[in-house]
Amino acid sequence: LFRSGLHLEINEHFLHQSTHDVTEMVGNALSGMKLSGVLEREEMLLEGASLTGIGQLVLHSKGVLSLQPPEDDSGYFLCLSGWQSIMKQQQWKASFFKGAAVLCSLVGAVFSFQVRSEEH
């Protein structure tokens, strides 16, 4: 389950040790990485907590509603606070990237101007 904006309490975690055969040992030696195991985490939402979800709401054949990611594979959001906090977070991210785009444009314009002035 891939979701954004929700931090749950870790209930349990398990480390499953990996078993190494000859091909894995050769692959590890060539790549420089060693797989020590797979971490499995169980997270939980506390009982009675209110949850806000933004995504695609689907009605299944048995009359059950479920929230799932949109069909275009974009993310969906789960949040313990209201939708206003999700909107505020997304607006902050949008402002940051707009500012970064303007800064990159200005740096490109200055660089282009300097290259042109050196040519003449």
Side-chain angles (χ1 to χ4, degrees):
L1 177 64
F2 294 104
R3 81 293 189 243
S4 178
L6 181 64
H7 304 287
L8 302 174
E9 297 291 324
I10 297 175
N11 188 24
E12 293 184 23
H13 62 279
F14 305 102
L15 179 63
H16 302 282
Q17 298 291 334
S18 65
T19 57
H20 300 289
D21 61 3
V22 175
T23 57
E24 285 181 356
M25 291 185 345
V26 170
N28 291 340
L30 293 175
S31 69
M33 297 187 321
K34 180 181 175 188
L35 180 64
S36 60
V38 176
L39 179 64
E40 179 183 343
R41 261 187 357 194
E42 182 177 309
E43 299 174 331
M44 70 178 200
L45 183 64
L46 298 176
E47 183 178 345
S50 99
L51 186 67
T52 301
I54 299 176
Q56 181 178 7
L57 196 59
V58 176
L59 179 61
H60 295 284
S61 60
K62 295 182 180 180
V64 177
L65 284 174
S66 68
L67 182 69
Q68 65 185 29
E71 291 177 358
D72 64 357
D73 290 331
S74 59
Y76 69 106
F77 299 92
L78 296 174
C79 183
L80 292 172
S81 55
W83 64 273
Q84 293 92 348
S85 65
I86 294 174
M87 292 300 294
K88 188 180 291 187
Q89 182 184 26
Q90 294 304 310
Q91 287 172 347
W92 182 87
K93 286 180 183 179
S95 298
F96 173 77
F97 284 109
K98 284 178 187 176
V102 167
L103 180 65
C104 289
S105 299
L106 289 175
V107 168
V110 167
F111 180 73
S112 176
F113 181 73
Q114 285 181 346
V115 168
R116 280 195 163 184
S117 65
E118 288 176 4
E119 289 178 357
H120 294 324

